Amino acid sequence: MFVAFISVFGGAAIFSLLMVLLVHLLFMPFPLGGEYYLFYLFLMVIPALVFMIGFSFFVVTWIRNRVLSVIFLLGFLGTTIFYLSDCLFGLFDPLGLSLPSAFSRITGHSDIWGYFLQRGMWFFLGLSFVGLTILKFDRIPNRVSCVGKRVLVLFFLIIGILCGGSFFFLQQNKFWERLNYRSIYEKYSSYPKAYLESQDVDYEQRENEMFVNTKLVVRNRTGKDMSNVLLYLNPDLDITALSINGMTSLFEREKQVIVVPASLSPGDSLLLELSYKGQIDERICYLNVPDVEIADTRKRMYLACRLGKRYSYLRKDFTLLIPEVLWYPTTVPPENPSSPYDNSRNFTRYSLRVRGHGKNKVISQGMRKRNGDQVIFRNEHLLHGITLNIGDYITRQLTVDSVTYELHMWRKHAALLKILNDRLEPSPDQKVSSTELIIRHVRHIAEISTGRKYPYKRFQLVETPLDFTSYFRDEMKSSGFVQPEVLYFPERGFRTKVFFSEVELAVNSLLFQEDKFRNTFSWDGILRWNVLLKRFHLEDGVFDKNPYLIRTQFYNQISDIICQTYPFLNSLVNLIIEDNNQTRIQPRPSLTPILEQQAIDYLRSHSLKDALYDHSLTMAVLGAIFVLKERELVDIFQTKGVDQDSLVSFLMNFLDRHRFNVTDFEQLNEEFKSVFHVDWNTVLPSWYARSRIPTYLLKIADVMRVKTENPKDLYSRIEFAIFNDSDVDGVVNIRTSTYLPGGWAEMQLAHKEKRRESTIKYQAFKIKAKTGKRFALVVGEFLDFMINTNIAGNLPNSFFFHETGIFTQDTSQYIEEVSRRYFLPDTNVFIVDNTDPGCKLTQPSTFLKLVNNDHLMSPKSWIRFINFKEGIFMPSSSWKEFLAQDCQGTTVRSFVFTRGGAGDYRLTWEVDLPKEGEYEAFVYIPSYSLNMNIQKYRISPLGDEEKVVSIDTKGKWCSLGIYNCLPGISKISLSNEGEENQMIIGDAVKWVYQGKAIR
């Protein structure tokens, strides 16, 4: 048995290592690192092997039943792999699969000490289980050798527990300290902040420590007297001296906050000089990111290999420091954990002098100048922060159209530069290099999509270690990878395909694609069989926000608007510009449906003001709320005569005039009032504090082509009506998409130049509570049309239309008031929808008896719709509900569906007819239905014969016949009788009174 266990666990592990080694030697373009394979053998394989052998023998010895032992061991292994591997930072993972195990060629392993402790725990626990097994076979328990074995077993057990405990507390301490840092930020959040006007940093690196002397000029711009000046600095950096205007001063310090006793009157300034030294505590970073996300390493992995997370580096051979780590003092914190969108900043004149870097390359913002063994950087613009990168880099530099572009690659990866150079080798007939063409094209896309010129004089791409991590933050629309003038990309272009694909496409994807597809690996996915694709799922995938999106260099990084009442205003203004800019290739991007509905659900009883300070909200939901409220505000301005394009143009012009500067909101508002005669202060209070949402009734006619004498004239007539069926005012908008002037040829040119391929216009309308409007519009050069109810209780909340091919000669246009009665059926028409109480579902339960599924029809939770879960419309073995705009319904338009079968699933519509007479019965089947054959309906009119009718039409009301009905309940039912892959669809029925019954 011992040989069998060795063969299974050890042989399989060593065989897999040898196979990976063979693949590396034969197919990978990178040199072989034999020490890595030894690392995995001795620290991953052997501890797992020792534990599994020891634990297996222990279980077999103590249970004494091989079948039960095997079942127990398989259960233990499955539980640890599938359910416990990520529990408590990977503590309960005997195989070490959830631990960071990747090596960077720049900085090595991300957490080698933690890895040693966790693997040591399982190694020594395995030895203790081996000892316990041996003790079981001792026939003379009290002899000296037996006592020695017990002591040894106890020793191994204690060492294992100590290793595990040390690993846990090492990881948990990070989050205890993060909590402490958050509380300190919140403690000082209400203190007045001085403005940092300039800072000269003199940086020297000695081994793994920094020694810094810095001079700061701070000014009081608060308009009130200040008794103290607050500075923020990394808590692991020790201050050795501090002076005010040349005089040594005392100070108080609480972790990252330094309180300097200095009185400042409004408008006054003072000079602070600090000397400090030490290392960097990375736990100060990203305090507004939830701890769960910080602890989760599954987003940083390749297949089963976790990459680990680091936020800065301060080493003899490599340094990488970004503003988020507070490596130099600031007067405002880089983030606000209590309210992420309250993220004011200073624009500061920085200079940086670096010494002690040896032969390594120094990279930072600004104009670079070498002076002996020193490198000096002076910024041409005021910046909100600077970075520092020191390492063994090789650099390629090219100036194109007055902007200098630099690529900094780790010297060990020079082979990748050769690959890139070979791919960009110009052809003999080219007048300029392929690199210049790509740079011009990429910059063109950036400037077209943002509507702004690139604001800096240089753009630097810098390679960073594999485990260097940052997080996309909605309030900044970027991550720490994107800094002024600098973009940090992953080691060897990991996951960017820049070096191994078409360069231009890869760069465009890296810099401009808003959502990036990320492969996710799960061990349970290996055992999951996909019936549709007939293959195993080794990888799944999700879409994440692109952390390398560079739009923030054109927006958030170059301006700041301050406002005490609405501290989020800078983020709001930048989002208005980015979200509504006509030069953007795509119009307002769709939100993730489930996040959008979570946001709308929250706004049913909460305001934006509540959301910004609600720590129970995830950042994703808060981001969705902010986007929805931003769009609502733009629509509100439009109802007051400020159209979307004019609003965006004004804001862009205002920020361009105040580029690299902080501006007061009142200045923006005064200029806005002078141009549009609209006061932000009359709009923002109710918009900010409103905690209710409207609900609408909609009536939508077809989009019809206007028949004209000239067949080349493209005019369409759109007619629809909307009623606000709530007690709160609302705003809806319509979006029309038309051909560009110049028609099809201009659209092709726009596609080639990466411009928007159509003209998109939004019109907003205020719909007051308990009022309705009917619209008729004529649109030229029509492409498509959309109605958006926005923040409302309607599902779906947008309706999209193309031309139907139906012609009309009516060219009248109007907007007229209508009452609620206009949206209700005739008094002789009785409709039952699938969402009404009169519609009931039945299906076999797990106990094979019919149950009533009224709970499926409850409107209290939108999550029941598969649009927010599976997302795909496929045959199902149970009744499911799908939202679609062409369904019947009032506030919710949906249908239910199931797979064809034996007829034991039923959908029944019951209607209480008020009077005796002749009624015609109809059924409605949405045109969205797929793979629908004949459906059989059983009509059970009260007072007439039961009848079965087959229907195979969809997209309209279909007659089921005329029946004589008595007052009371009449029924129409639909079963799932049909072919196995047939889709059975149920939406609505109606009974139309025809007159008195003829007997």
Side-chain angles (χ1 to χ4, degrees):
M1 183 181 289
F2 180 78
V3 174
F5 273 96
I6 289 290
S7 301
V8 171
F9 292 107
I14 294 174
F15 175 75
S16 63
L17 278 177
L18 291 175
M19 289 300 297
V20 172
L21 180 64
L22 184 63
V23 170
H24 196 155
L25 286 171
L26 295 179
F27 302 108
M28 301 301 288
F30 308 112
L32 177 68
E35 66 275 16
Y36 302 140
Y37 291 92
L38 293 176
F39 173 89
Y40 295 130
L41 175 63
F42 287 103
L43 287 180
M44 177 177 276
V45 175
I46 289 181
L49 183 63
V50 169
F51 173 77
M52 290 308 301
I53 290 174
F55 187 62
S56 300
F57 273 101
F58 174 78
V59 170
V60 170
T61 301
W62 287 85
I63 293 182
R64 296 186 178 182
N65 184 305
R66 292 194 176 184
V67 175
L68 292 179
S69 298
V70 170
I71 293 173
F72 179 83
L73 288 170
L74 289 176
F76 171 81
L77 196 60
T79 302
T80 55
I81 292 177
F82 300 137
Y83 301 105
L84 297 180
S85 60
D86 283 290
C87 185
L88 298 183
F89 318 107
L91 179 67
F92 296 119
D93 180 8
L95 305 184
L97 300 174
S98 62
L99 301 179
S101 53
F103 279 85
S104 165
R105 297 190 72 199
I106 302 175
T107 57
H109 197 278
S110 63
D111 184 18
I112 194 67
W113 180 234
Y115 197 94
F116 268 112
L117 288 174
Q118 200 270 3
R119 303 314 294 144
M121 179 189 77
W122 291 104
F123 177 76
F124 286 109
L125 287 180
L127 291 179
S128 67
F129 280 122
V130 170
L132 288 172
T133 304
I134 294 172
L135 287 176
K136 186 68 175 176
F137 292 100
D138 275 322
R139 299 186 180 273
I140 308 176
N142 294 321
R143 64 180 178 176
V144 176
S145 61
C146 182
V147 174
K149 291 175 184 177
R150 289 179 179 178
V151 172
L152 191 60
V153 168
L154 183 61
F155 173 76
F156 287 146
L157 184 61
I158 291 174
I159 294 297
I161 293 173
L162 286 176
C163 286
S166 299
F167 170 80
F168 171 75
F169 286 110
L170 178 69
Q171 305 300 325
Q172 184 61 48
N173 184 58
K174 299 176 184 178
F175 299 94
W176 288 334
E177 201 61 27
R178 281 171 56 85
L179 183 62
N180 193 14
Y181 292 152
R182 281 196 196 99
S183 65
I184 292 172
Y185 269 143
E186 292 179 11
K187 176 180 176 180
Y188 291 94
S189 61
S190 61
Y191 282 52
K193 309 293 191 301
Y195 192 91
L196 179 59
E197 291 192 339
S198 68
Q199 181 164 192
D200 301 313
V201 182
D202 189 341
Y203 177 99
E204 181 179 0
Q205 186 154 334
R206 303 175 193 169
E207 298 295 330
N208 297 335
E209 282 192 310
M210 66 167 73
F211 292 78
V212 180
N213 297 307
T214 183
K215 297 180 180 179
L216 305 86
V217 176
V218 300
R219 188 177 298 277
N220 181 358
R221 294 189 180 184
T222 65
K224 301 177 181 179
D225 289 331
M226 296 176 60
S227 58
N228 295 297
V229 173
L230 295 187
L231 297 178
Y232 297 87
L233 186 67
N234 192 281
D236 273 9
L237 293 173
D238 298 322
I239 299 176
T240 57
L242 188 151
S243 63
I244 303 174
N245 293 330
M247 302 292 291
T248 301
S249 172
L250 299 175
F251 60 90
E252 296 180 3
R253 184 168 190 180
E254 187 173 4
K255 298 292 185 178
Q256 73 269 30
V257 176
I258 304 161
V259 182
V260 182
S263 298
L264 266 180
S265 300
D268 286 352
S269 66
L270 56 81
L271 172 66
L272 296 174
E273 296 181 67
L274 278 81
S275 298
Y276 57 90
K277 65 178 182 178
Q279 296 183 323
I280 292 294
D281 183 357
E282 299 177 39
R283 297 171 296 185
I284 195 68
C285 294
Y286 307 117
L287 298 179
N288 56 353
V289 177
D291 288 348
V292 172
E293 187 173 350
I294 295 289
D296 188 359
T297 58
R298 288 171 294 185
K299 289 185 179 181
R300 301 281 302 167
M301 63 188 299
Y302 178 71
L303 292 179
C305 181
R306 310 285 176 100
L307 306 182
K309 295 183 178 182
R310 291 289 307 275
Y311 306 118
S312 70
Y313 305 85
L314 185 58
R315 300 158 48 112
K316 179 181 179 180
D317 57 343
F318 183 74
T319 295
L320 174 53
L321 303 170
I322 60 176
E324 284 80 351
V325 301
L326 291 173
W327 66 278
Y328 56 86
T330 65
T331 54
V332 293
E335 56 192 351
N336 185 350
S338 60
S339 181
Y341 283 85
D342 180 1
N343 55 359
S344 61
R345 71 195 75 186
N346 298 159
F347 282 92
T348 304
R349 180 196 60 77
Y350 287 102
S351 71
L352 173 64
R353 183 187 303 268
V354 180
R355 295 175 291 168
H357 55 86
K359 296 181 180 180
N360 288 332
K361 179 85 173 183
V362 182
I363 303 166
S364 187
Q365 288 81 4
M367 205 163 40
R368 182 189 297 111
K369 178 183 177 182
R370 180 173 289 276
N371 184 8
D373 64 343
Q374 303 176 6
V375 179
I376 302 171
F377 295 89
R378 297 193 183 278
N379 299 132
E380 298 96 339
H381 305 294
L382 303 180
L383 301 179
H384 70 80
I386 58 173
T387 63
L388 176 60
N389 202 190
I390 305 174
D392 189 16
Y393 285 101
I394 55 175
T395 301
R396 296 292 182 268
Q397 180 177 299
L398 183 65
T399 299
V400 179
D401 301 331
S402 74
V403 176
T404 299
Y405 299 88
E406 296 179 355
L407 173 62
H408 304 282
M409 292 287 297
W410 196 248
R411 191 172 299 277
K412 291 181 180 179
H413 303 150
L416 292 176
L417 272 180
K418 185 179 184 306
I419 293 174
L420 188 62
N421 289 335
D422 292 343
R423 297 175 66 84
L424 297 177
E425 189 70 29
S427 59
D429 58 335
Q430 284 183 316
K431 296 182 181 180
V432 296
S433 70
S434 298
T435 305
E436 289 184 56
L437 291 175
I438 290 175
I439 287 174
R440 285 198 175 101
H441 191 236
V442 170
R443 180 174 173 181
H444 169 76
I445 294 175
E447 294 179 345
I448 282 292
S449 63
T450 60
R452 309 178 100 167
K453 294 293 184 182
Y454 182 68
Y456 305 110
K457 294 186 178 181
R458 63 190 56 79
F459 181 77
Q460 303 179 79
L461 279 168
V462 183
E463 184 182 18
T464 58
L466 201 60
D467 52 6
F468 180 55
T469 304
S470 188
Y471 303 89
F472 187 93
R473 289 166 288 175
D474 280 307
E475 68 274 15
M476 297 297 298
K477 293 299 178 186
S478 70
S479 72
F481 295 140
V482 185
Q483 300 288 343
E485 300 183 4
V486 176
L487 186 135
Y488 292 112
F489 71 95
E491 187 172 345
R492 297 197 297 264
F494 176 67
R495 282 183 173 162
T496 66
K497 299 183 179 179
V498 170
F499 299 102
F500 304 102
S501 180
E502 186 175 338
V503 177
E504 185 173 340
L505 288 177
V507 172
N508 286 338
S509 174
L510 174 69
L511 303 182
F512 306 119
Q513 186 174 326
E514 294 193 27
D515 298 305
K516 300 285 286 185
F517 182 79
R518 172 174 58 85
N519 291 322
T520 59
F521 180 90
S522 61
W523 287 103
D524 59 335
I526 294 178
L527 305 179
R528 186 171 58 210
W529 177 257
N530 188 312
V531 177
L532 297 176
L533 301 180
K534 303 297 184 184
R535 65 179 177 87
F536 285 103
H537 268 294
L538 292 181
E539 290 183 327
D540 288 325
V542 296
F543 283 94
D544 293 327
K545 292 290 187 181
N546 180 9
Y548 304 101
L549 194 67
I550 65 166
R551 286 203 185 107
T552 187
Q553 290 188 335
F554 296 80
Y555 293 122
N556 299 66
Q557 289 185 358
I558 61 174
S559 62
D560 191 26
I561 299 172
I562 58 172
C563 179
Q564 294 294 325
T565 309
Y566 310 107
F568 56 86
L569 204 70
N570 185 66
S571 296
L572 177 67
V573 168
N574 280 285
L575 182 58
I576 290 174
I577 295 173
E578 183 179 356
D579 199 36
N580 301 278
N581 194 349
Q582 273 287 354
T583 63
R584 184 183 179 128
I585 296 175
Q586 297 295 331
R588 291 177 174 177
S590 300
L591 296 172
T592 305
I594 193 167
L595 290 177
E596 183 176 22
Q597 286 306 316
Q598 286 175 329
I600 291 173
D601 258 8
Y602 184 86
L603 292 172
R604 289 178 187 272
S605 56
H606 299 84
S607 65
L608 175 61
K609 184 177 182 179
D610 298 330
L612 291 175
Y613 296 93
D614 190 341
H615 294 172
S616 68
L617 284 175
T618 67
M619 289 303 298
V621 174
L622 178 58
I625 290 172
F626 201 72
V627 170
L628 289 174
K629 292 297 289 184
E630 168 264 318
R631 292 174 180 177
E632 182 185 57
L633 181 64
V634 172
D635 289 344
I636 291 172
F637 276 128
Q638 194 166 64
T639 64
K640 295 181 177 296
V642 185
D643 68 83
Q644 186 178 6
D645 292 345
S646 298
L647 175 63
V648 171
S649 177
F650 171 85
L651 293 176
M652 288 181 67
N653 180 267
F654 181 85
L655 294 184
D656 284 341
R657 286 186 285 110
H658 299 88
R659 182 175 290 186
F660 301 113
N661 209 341
V662 173
T663 314
D664 190 86
F665 161 66
E666 290 304 326
Q667 182 178 349
L668 179 148
N669 191 33
E670 289 301 318
E671 293 187 25
F672 192 83
K673 285 193 294 184
S674 67
V675 175
F676 300 109
H677 309 291
V678 176
D679 188 347
W680 284 63
N681 286 320
T682 63
V683 175
L684 291 179
S686 59
W687 167 84
Y688 185 39
R690 189 167 77 167
S691 57
R692 294 183 295 165
I693 66 174
T695 302
Y696 302 106
L697 303 178
L698 277 85
K699 196 170 187 178
I700 302 169
D702 290 329
V703 177
M704 294 178 285
R705 175 83 174 271
V706 176
K707 193 172 184 178
T708 61
E709 295 181 359
N710 185 353
K712 293 185 178 179
D713 290 339
L714 299 176
Y715 291 97
S716 296
R717 188 171 186 272
I718 305 161
E719 188 175 334
F720 67 97
I722 186 166
F723 183 86
N724 186 341
D725 202 28
S726 67
D727 58 356
V728 56
D729 295 347
V731 178
V732 301
N733 70 55
I734 61 172
R735 193 196 81 183
T736 53
S737 178
T738 57
Y739 287 99
L740 292 172
W744 180 250
E746 185 63 23
M747 289 180 68
Q748 289 180 308
L749 181 61
H751 178 77
K752 182 179 180 181
E753 295 179 352
K754 303 296 182 182
R755 293 185 284 114
R756 184 175 289 185
E757 298 174 26
S758 62
T759 300
I760 294 177
K761 294 290 184 183
Y762 287 87
Q763 290 178 269
F765 302 94
K766 182 176 182 178
I767 312 294
K768 293 184 177 181
K770 302 302 180 182
T771 67
K773 294 182 185 293
R774 183 183 174 195
F775 301 84
L777 309 171
V778 175
V779 181
E781 303 292 328
F782 177 83
L783 280 172
D784 57 58
F785 170 77
M786 179 182 287
I787 302 173
N788 298 295
T789 60
N790 302 319
I791 305 175
N794 291 72
L795 288 172
N797 60 0
S798 60
F799 300 82
F800 189 78
F801 304 94
H802 290 281
E803 274 190 2
T804 59
I806 301 174
F807 283 85
T808 182
Q809 293 183 336
D810 187 357
T811 58
S812 62
Q813 299 187 72
Y814 53 80
I815 301 177
E816 61 184 22
E817 299 289 330
V818 291
S819 68
R820 191 177 192 275
R821 188 71 194 85
Y822 178 79
F823 298 84
L824 302 179
D826 186 88
T827 55
N828 287 323
V829 177
F830 306 92
I831 298 176
V832 181
D833 183 58
N834 65 288
T835 60
D836 292 333
C839 183
K840 301 187 184 300
L841 293 166
T842 55
Q843 66 186 28
S845 72
T846 54
F847 299 102
L848 300 180
K849 68 177 183 179
L850 293 180
V851 296
N852 197 314
N853 288 276
D854 290 335
H855 64 282
L856 293 178
M857 313 313 300
S858 171
K860 67 181 180 181
S861 176
W862 46 265
I863 199 65
R864 71 180 190 265
F865 302 106
I866 68 166
N867 309 63
F868 305 108
K869 292 185 285 187
E870 291 96 331
I872 57 173
F873 179 50
M874 299 295 292
S876 169
S877 59
S878 62
W879 286 113
K880 293 189 177 181
E881 195 169 3
F882 190 85
L883 292 170
Q885 69 178 45
D886 67 330
C887 295
Q888 297 297 308
T890 52
T891 59
V892 176
R893 295 171 181 253
S894 67
F895 61 83
V896 294
F897 66 96
T898 189
R899 177 184 292 135
D904 49 354
Y905 291 71
R906 289 196 305 274
L907 179 63
T908 303
W909 295 270
E910 297 181 352
V911 61
D912 188 0
L913 298 176
K915 57 186 175 180
E916 181 181 358
E918 195 174 67
Y919 290 83
E920 185 173 8
F922 294 86
V923 64
Y924 185 86
I925 304 174
S927 59
Y928 193 95
S929 313
L930 301 174
N931 195 26
M932 194 200 82
N933 297 326
I934 294 175
Q935 295 191 164
K936 295 181 179 180
Y937 294 86
R938 182 177 298 275
I939 299 91
S940 305
L942 183 64
D944 204 346
E945 293 182 2
E946 193 171 79
K947 186 178 179 181
V948 176
V949 178
S950 298
I951 297 292
D952 62 356
T953 307
K954 58 184 179 181
K956 64 179 183 180
W957 288 105
C958 302
S959 177
L960 299 175
I962 297 176
Y963 303 90
N964 294 323
C965 301
L966 295 174
I969 302 297
S970 291
K971 301 179 181 180
I972 298 175
S973 62
L974 168 68
S975 76
N976 72 325
E977 181 181 349
E979 299 176 8
E980 181 182 356
N981 291 323
Q982 178 183 345
M983 190 76 72
I984 304 296
I985 300 291
D987 184 4
V989 301
K990 70 178 178 181
W991 297 78
V992 181
Y993 180 72
Q994 303 292 317
K996 291 184 178 180
I998 301 175
R999 296 293 180 181

